[in-house]
Amino acid sequence: MTVVIEETDVTRIDELKNVVAADGIARFRLRSRQELVEFSAGFGELLMHRDAEPDTVTVVRHVPEVDGEDGYAGLSAGPLLPHTDGSGNTVVPRYITLWCQRNEGTGGECSMADGQRVVEDLQQTSPWAIDALARPNAAIYRSGHEQYSGPVMSQDPTGRWQFRLRLDSNGFFSAETLHAVTRLREAIALRTFTFALSPGQGYIIDNWRYLHGRLTFAGERVMLRTLIK
């Protein structure tokens, strides 16, 4: 079935930049893959991903051939735990977009948690967990040929906390950090909300602030993703 999309936010880049700066997330509507590339480039330099095509767009859909392989959970039909894209890479994308090209199945809702709210909760209930997660030896993440070793959370020069989190089989935590990771997962769960994307709809997030994931789905679900430096 072909869906004709008439609305577009490709001309609202400056406005949506302000929304993302304030809230960490913005929803948008676009008409085509080409508009997605144009829209994404308005936020910064586009980054290539292992699975990206020449225009830097990664097609996110179920690819049965890679089911069960390390590092390919995004191309499965299963759930994705809350995470930071590029957490194991030298360069962690500042922004992530996801745009729905086709969605004719069931499930697959996007899951989100605002890291800023998560930190505020931990500061009130479990400040010790923040201390543990901010240790320089808190985590080791593998991503292809790259590896990251360092804190799960860190503060930028303005004092705002940033996340670098992965909870799959390529994420490892020090013994001293494990209890704090459990507490972090509980805090994320309390702040998680979900929403579905229909064809033409998308979102952009501050990848250093927002933790994102996906619910299990069945049927045809095709999303296009870009990574922005």
Side-chain angles (χ1 to χ4, degrees), residues 93-205:
R94 179 60 190 268
Y95 304 109
I96 306 294
T97 72
L98 193 74
W99 180 73
C100 180
Q101 184 178 66
R102 188 174 182 182
N103 194 359
E104 298 179 3
T106 58
E109 291 84 359
C110 306
S111 59
M112 295 283 172
D114 184 349
Q116 188 168 305
R117 302 283 87 82
V118 171
V119 170
E120 290 170 359
D121 292 346
L122 290 175
Q123 287 172 332
Q124 292 294 320
T125 65
S126 312
W128 59 266
I130 296 177
D131 293 339
L133 294 165
R135 290 174 182 165
N137 66 338
I140 296 176
Y141 304 141
R142 292 201 310 257
S143 184
H145 298 296
E146 295 186 77
Q147 180 170 296
Y148 166 78
S149 177
V152 175
M153 298 167 53
S154 60
Q155 286 181 289
D156 67 16
T158 70
R160 173 169 288 190
W161 286 94
Q162 301 174 350
F163 277 89
R164 193 164 179 154
L165 178 67
R166 73 181 303 163
L167 297 168
D168 62 6
S169 59
N170 285 312
F172 307 90
F173 303 97
S174 67
E176 297 82 2
T177 310
L178 286 174
H179 186 32
V181 172
T182 298
R183 183 67 193 92
L184 173 63
R185 294 181 69 160
E186 293 169 348
I188 291 170
L190 291 174
R191 287 291 182 176
T192 296
F193 61 95
T194 63
F195 58 88
L197 293 178
S198 298
Q201 297 177 341
Y203 68 73
I204 181 167
I205 59 169

Side-chain angles (χ1 to χ4, degrees), residues 2-55:
T2 300
V3 178
V4 178
I5 303 159
E6 297 181 349
E7 297 181 41
T8 181
D9 290 320
V10 74
T11 59
R12 299 178 59 222
I13 293 173
D14 288 341
E15 177 187 346
L16 294 179
K17 278 183 180 179
N18 292 331
V19 174
V20 176
D23 301 334
I25 185 172
R27 303 276 295 271
F28 59 77
R29 290 187 62 87
L30 298 172
R31 294 174 295 192
S32 67
R33 176 173 179 153
Q34 182 177 350
E35 281 197 349
L36 176 64
V37 173
E38 179 183 350
F39 177 86
S40 301
F43 281 80
E45 178 186 346
L46 299 182
L47 298 172
M48 290 297 295
H49 182 267
R50 174 199 61 199
D51 303 317
E53 298 182 3
D55 62 356

Side-chain angles (χ1 to χ4, degrees), residues 62-69 72 75:
H62 183 203
V63 181
E65 292 79 10
V66 299
D67 278 352
E69 293 191 24
Y72 285 90
L75 300 182

